[in-house]
């Protein structure tokens, strides 16, 4: 046989087998010169012969989906929060994260959505003074809690000492992670003040000290993709010294007035 006769025979044999709809359409396009009887394409997705077994399964699945009950509406709950000193009440789907409640419902977009898996720290906020990843916490878990976001720490005209230190030491580049970095750093200083130990302390029973290594360990959950870690560490250490000096001066004034 000639090569063209062999190729034509091979194409005819191939078309006699069941194929999917996409394959059938491609085969007909390539073999448009075949007799019309061979080119019949049926609704069940095969060319000639008997319907494949998958056709029955597809019909059964379609019937099952049509008979299934409609999805249930979301459960809505009233959540009362104190956000940056103001009481707020929200009607939320119980699946709403604290991060989405802050950003989408209260429009406090300073808190950033980074990985949405609790791995980058961009969504760090303070809840009753302690730092958490807002993307991993449901809003309904924080009924009557006090939430502080970056908007509640300071204003452009009255910066928090940590915000001022980040500006002074250039502790940012793109700035996306900066709100979470600052909120986390503020909580770090409070942890050290309360004597909360860390993994780098040789003696966990001793009072922690604000060292470079201590800050790097405590801030390790906040990632900076621009790698501005040197400026971040310097900013946190500088803010620590300034806030300690302010506390000392405040204590001296209280003793003098007493």
């Amino acid at each position: 046989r000639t090569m063209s006769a062999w190729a034509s025979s091979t194409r005819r044999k191939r078309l006699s087998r069941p194929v999917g709809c996409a394959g059938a359409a491609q085969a007909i396009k390539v073999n448009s010169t075949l007799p019309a009887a061979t080119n019949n394409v049926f609704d069940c997705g095969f060319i000639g012969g008997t319907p494949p077994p998958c056709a029955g399964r597809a019909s059964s699945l379609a019937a099952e989906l049509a008979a299934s009950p409609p999805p249930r509406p979301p459960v809505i709950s009233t959540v009362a929060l104190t956000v940056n000193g103001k009481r707020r009440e929200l009607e939320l789907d119980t699946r709403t994260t604290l991060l989405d409640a802050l950003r989408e419902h209260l429009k406090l977009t300073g808190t950033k959505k980074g990985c949405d898996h609790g791995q980058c720290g961009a969504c760090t906020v303070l809840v009753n003074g302690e730092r958490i990843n807002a993307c991993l916490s449901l809003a309904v878990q924080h009924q009557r809690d006090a939430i502080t976001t970056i908007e509640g720490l300071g204003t452009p005209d009255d910066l928090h000492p940590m915000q001022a230190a980040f500006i002074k030491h250039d502790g940012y580049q793109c700035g996306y992670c900066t709100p979470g970095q600052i909120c986390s750093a503020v909580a770090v200083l409070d942890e050290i003040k309360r004597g909360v130990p860390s993994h780098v302390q040789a003696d966990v029973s001793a009072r922690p000290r604000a060292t470079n290594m201590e800050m790097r360990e405590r801030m390790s959950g906040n990632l900076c993709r621009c790698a501005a870690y040197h400026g971040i560490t310097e900013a946190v250490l500088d803010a620590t010294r300034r806030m300690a000096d302010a506390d000392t001066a405040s204590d001296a004034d209280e003793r003098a007035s007493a």
Side-chain angles (χ1 to χ4, degrees), residues 52-186:
C54 63
R57 290 198 296 271
S59 299
S60 175
L61 178 59
E64 183 179 338
L65 290 175
S68 61
R72 292 183 300 175
V75 179
I76 304 299
S77 178
T78 301
V79 182
L81 306 169
T82 300
V83 182
N84 298 331
K86 297 180 180 179
R87 181 176 170 81
R88 309 295 295 268
E89 283 195 2
L90 301 172
E91 298 292 324
L92 298 175
D93 183 329
T94 53
R95 298 167 296 181
T96 304
T97 64
L98 179 59
L99 175 59
D100 285 338
L102 293 171
R103 288 182 57 84
E104 307 301 331
H105 295 267
L106 296 179
K107 306 304 178 184
L108 295 172
T109 55
T111 304
K112 303 305 183 186
K113 179 176 284 195
C115 64
D116 213 23
H117 285 77
Q119 297 177 353
C120 72
C123 65
T124 304
V125 297
L126 306 179
V127 177
N128 300 327
E130 297 188 1
R131 52 181 172 158
I132 70 164
N133 289 324
C135 72
L136 293 184
S137 187
L138 295 176
V140 293
Q141 294 176 263
H142 298 288
Q143 193 73 254
R144 294 181 293 279
D145 280 350
I147 315 295
T148 303
T149 69
I150 188 66
E151 293 90 344
L153 285 180
T155 66
D157 298 326
D158 185 20
L159 294 175
H160 186 281
M162 190 63 71
Q163 292 172 313
F166 265 70
I167 294 173
K168 176 183 176 181
H169 293 278
D170 200 21
Y172 50 85
Q173 287 189 36
C174 76
Y176 195 82
C177 73
T178 307
Q181 298 276 2
I182 292 176
C183 285
S184 189
V186 169

